Amino acid sequence: KAGVTQTPRYLIKTRGQQVTLSCSPISGHRSVSWYQQTPGQGLQFLFEYFSETQRNKGNFPGRFSGRQFSNSRSEMNVSTLELGDSALYLCASRLGQEAFFGQGTRLTVV
Amino acid sequence: QKEVEQNSGPLSVPEGAIASLNCTYSDRGSQSFFWYRQYSGKSPELIMFIYSNGDKEDGRFTAQLNKASQYVSLLIRDSQPSDSATYLCAVTATTDSWGKLQFGAGTQVVVTP
């Protein structure tokens, strides 16, 4: 059974640019959540999508957005990148109470 | 005050001993409690979750939940060097928020041969 797939694995972007990250959940999982992990703040919840609808949103600025497609694949977008957006972005696919994480996308903003 | 608190460690444990990790949470409405293990440079892996008071065992791992005292703990029996990792405690607030995990900062465990 395939796990959660995130692409790309690594990204380097310049301040002011925008970026789109992709997440393909485990087959049959309809819930996808996104998290940001940094050394200083730890793992922080960004948002959750279920059946193409945003169900929850964390305390991040509007530059962070996401969407989910009919096949449950999800994308998140960060516009006007700042140096502080450098982080590991993790996607979690959920069935019931169990959430499984992808390998993450390491974003570096220079 | 952080909503989910863990000792950052490192917690040094001799091989074969029991590692005891603690986590406290501030929201009395928290429903479910999760333990994840994260190796350096890797993503978190779910170890187990618990939602009823008491103990839940899975192999060498035991989760303990006390909602009255608002703490959850994880015991690792017969600790192995491969258990060296950061252990993350996470909680969900309501049944509508299973997709929203609130994480503690994690406890680093080092198992010494």
Side-chain angles (χ1 to χ4, degrees):
Chain A
K1 188 175 184 181
V4 182
T5 303
Q6 290 190 244
T7 56
R9 292 291 310 277
Y10 302 93
L11 266 179
I12 299 176
K13 290 287 188 178
T14 304
R15 270 182 301 175
Q17 287 187 312
Q18 74 166 14
V19 66
T20 299
L21 313 181
S22 178
C23 172
S24 293
I26 295 169
S27 178
H29 290 197
R30 293 161 63 189
S31 168
V32 173
S33 298
W34 289 89
Y35 295 83
Q36 180 196 66
Q37 187 173 32
T38 59
Q41 298 298 317
L43 263 164
Q44 293 186 286
F45 172 79
L46 280 156
F47 27 66
E48 179 202 7
Y49 287 88
F50 183 88
S51 294
E52 302 179 66
T53 301
Q54 187 180 87
R55 295 186 70 178
N56 285 292
K57 191 176 190 306
N59 296 323
F60 279 82
R63 300 184 297 107
F64 292 81
S65 62
R67 59 178 175 168
Q68 187 180 34
F69 301 95
S70 58
N71 61 358
S72 294
R73 189 177 71 85
S74 178
E75 290 181 347
M76 68 164 281
N77 183 275
V78 187
S79 62
T80 319
L81 284 165
E82 301 176 359
L83 294 178
D85 297 332
S86 294
L88 179 66
Y89 289 89
L90 291 160
C91 158
S93 162
R94 183 175 63 83
L95 183 66
Q97 296 202 56
E98 298 184 66
F100 301 92
F101 284 85
Q103 291 304 303
T105 294
R106 173 76 62 184
L107 172 64
T108 301
V109 182
V110 297
Chain B
Q1 182 191 3
K2 285 202 155 191
E3 296 185 26
V4 181
E5 300 233 31
Q6 298 180 252
N7 290 327
S8 60
L11 176 66
S12 184
V13 181
E15 184 174 358
I18 296 176
S20 178
L21 293 81
N22 295 317
C23 171
T24 58
Y25 58 94
S26 60
D27 184 358
R28 283 196 172 274
S30 297
Q31 295 280 329
S32 299
F33 307 84
F34 302 79
W35 284 100
Y36 282 83
R37 175 177 63 196
Q38 186 173 27
Y39 292 111
S40 181
K42 302 293 186 181
S43 60
E45 303 170 84
L46 179 64
I47 298 173
M48 62 192 306
F49 69 92
I50 187 169
Y51 51 85
S52 298
N53 277 327
D55 296 359
K56 180 180 179 182
E57 187 175 316
D58 185 356
R60 295 187 295 111
F61 299 96
T62 299
Q64 299 173 316
L65 175 60
N66 184 323
K67 288 188 176 181
S69 300
Q70 294 177 244
Y71 85 79
V72 57
S73 62
L74 180 70
L75 300 178
I76 308 174
R77 289 183 300 281
D78 188 24
S79 295
Q80 301 297 310
S82 60
D83 294 325
S84 297
T86 296
Y87 289 78
L88 298 161
C89 171
V91 307
T92 56
T94 71
T95 54
D96 286 339
S97 302
W98 286 348
K100 179 179 179 180
L101 292 168
Q102 297 175 326
F103 283 88
T107 297
Q108 184 185 4
V109 172
V110 178
V111 180
T112 54

